[in-house]
Amino acid sequence: MFKLYLILITTVLIFSGCGGSSAAPVAKPKVLPAWINAPLPSDNNQFMYGMGIESDRESAIKAALSDMIAKLGTTIESSYESNQEVQGSFSKSTIKNQIKSAVSKVKINNYNVIKSHKVSYREFAVMIETDKQKLLKGLKENLEIQKKSIVQKYNSLNGRDSLSKYNTKKELSAEASTLLPVIFIISDLDSSFDKKKNLSFVSKKQKEFLAESKKLRFFVSGNSKSSKFVQNIKNYLAQNNYKVSSSKTNSVQIKINTTDRVNRNIAVLNMNVSVFDKSQRIGGKSVILKERYNGSMASVYKNASIHLKQDIKSQGINEVIGINLKID
């Protein structure tokens, strides 16, 4: 009986072991939605599309927006490449860089997530669409606000001095130039947009500054002790492409009056600068220059001239003589 019992137990264990060794069921591969690997829908008159895959939904949306903006930039650059219009003094490479910069700053807030899928525990995919007309409307409104601001600043220049006119028109020319890429973006999104009119606005502001820069000239003069300082200032202005005139007429006048005194072995020079536009004083400064006195005032003025030149180079002409001149 005992042997029979052992045989029965062994048989049960054998069959139990066989049952436990059966293969585990194989998991079915996860099928991805077709849209993830399919081409994006083509942008149309109403919508633009973008897609992104990142570690979470929020990051995927940001990537999709970047994808949309990158496509927009590529399209506009391609459109500009085939454009044969001359844009003032700006080269095509300059405009292309401006377009890239402007497109990268476009904010797309009116988007919808139309598809989303968690690919894995570390990947999330989304597809977004944005209303192109709403985006276009915002760009147009901002363009008109900027143009209006430029016109208002320009109109405020009546009766202002030559330096103020030069400085402001220089600013407005640069500000108007930043509108070029925006104009190209809008014209690419809207074929009915009056691109020529808006490009003419930019070109006009550039020409107005060029005309003002041709009018700006300086007349630099001084007393007998100021001759070297006068030459320092003339040289600096000429080297920076500003006109130095031999006539006071229609010139910004920089007048220098220098006095000196010797205190033991130190020579103290007081260089008094006055800047006028016609009869209106528009700047100036009193500059103290100290040099070691070795018995020769000629040597003192020579060294002071060298140091003034160094100060102008390191501090700028505005700081040294008290004027307000926008220099590139």
Side-chain angles (χ1 to χ4, degrees), residues 259-277:
T259 59
D260 58 53
R261 59 186 172 85
V262 177
N263 184 8
R264 296 183 182 177
N265 62 338
I266 298 296
V268 180
L269 282 59
N270 186 348
M271 187 182 81
N272 189 49
V273 183
S274 300
V275 184
F276 293 88
D277 181 39

Side-chain angles (χ1 to χ4, degrees), residues 181-280:
V182 179
I183 292 168
F184 281 111
I185 292 171
I186 295 173
S187 64
D188 191 75
L189 294 174
D190 180 7
S191 58
S192 66
F193 175 69
D194 194 342
K195 180 170 66 172
K196 185 175 181 180
K197 177 183 175 182
N198 283 277
L199 290 177
S200 295
F201 176 87
V202 175
S203 179
K204 183 179 179 182
K205 296 309 166 194
Q206 292 173 341
K207 290 175 181 176
E208 286 169 348
F209 166 64
L210 290 174
E212 194 67 41
S213 65
K214 289 178 181 177
K215 285 164 53 179
L216 182 66
R217 59 194 64 210
F218 295 89
F219 177 79
V220 189
S221 63
N223 64 351
S224 59
K225 293 183 177 182
S226 305
S227 58
K228 289 186 180 297
F229 306 145
V230 167
Q231 196 58 49
N232 285 150
I233 294 169
K234 283 183 175 180
N235 290 343
Y236 178 85
L237 292 170
Q239 288 164 6
N240 285 273
N241 300 316
Y242 293 102
K243 293 183 179 69
V244 179
S245 176
S246 58
S247 171
K248 295 179 183 179
T249 306
N250 298 323
S251 297
V252 174
Q253 297 180 45
I254 301 174
K255 300 179 180 180
I256 304 174
N257 183 62
T258 304
T259 59
D260 58 53
R261 59 186 172 85
V262 177
N263 184 8
R264 296 183 182 177
N265 62 338
I266 298 296
V268 180
L269 282 59
N270 186 348
M271 187 182 81
N272 189 49
V273 183
S274 300
V275 184
F276 293 88
D277 181 39
K278 300 180 177 64
S279 59
Q280 180 184 3

Side-chain angles (χ1 to χ4, degrees), residues 69 97-107 178 181-182 185:
I69 290 170
N97 288 335
Q98 287 183 335
I99 288 172
K100 285 181 181 178
S101 176
V103 170
S104 69
K105 294 174 185 174
V106 171
K107 301 297 181 186
T178 65
V182 179
I185 292 171

Side-chain angles (χ1 to χ4, degrees), residues 229 232 271 289 303-312 320:
F229 306 145
N232 285 150
M271 187 182 81
L289 300 167
N303 291 333
S305 173
I306 292 171
H307 294 145
L308 179 66
K309 182 179 179 181
Q310 292 172 345
D311 288 345
I312 292 174
V320 174

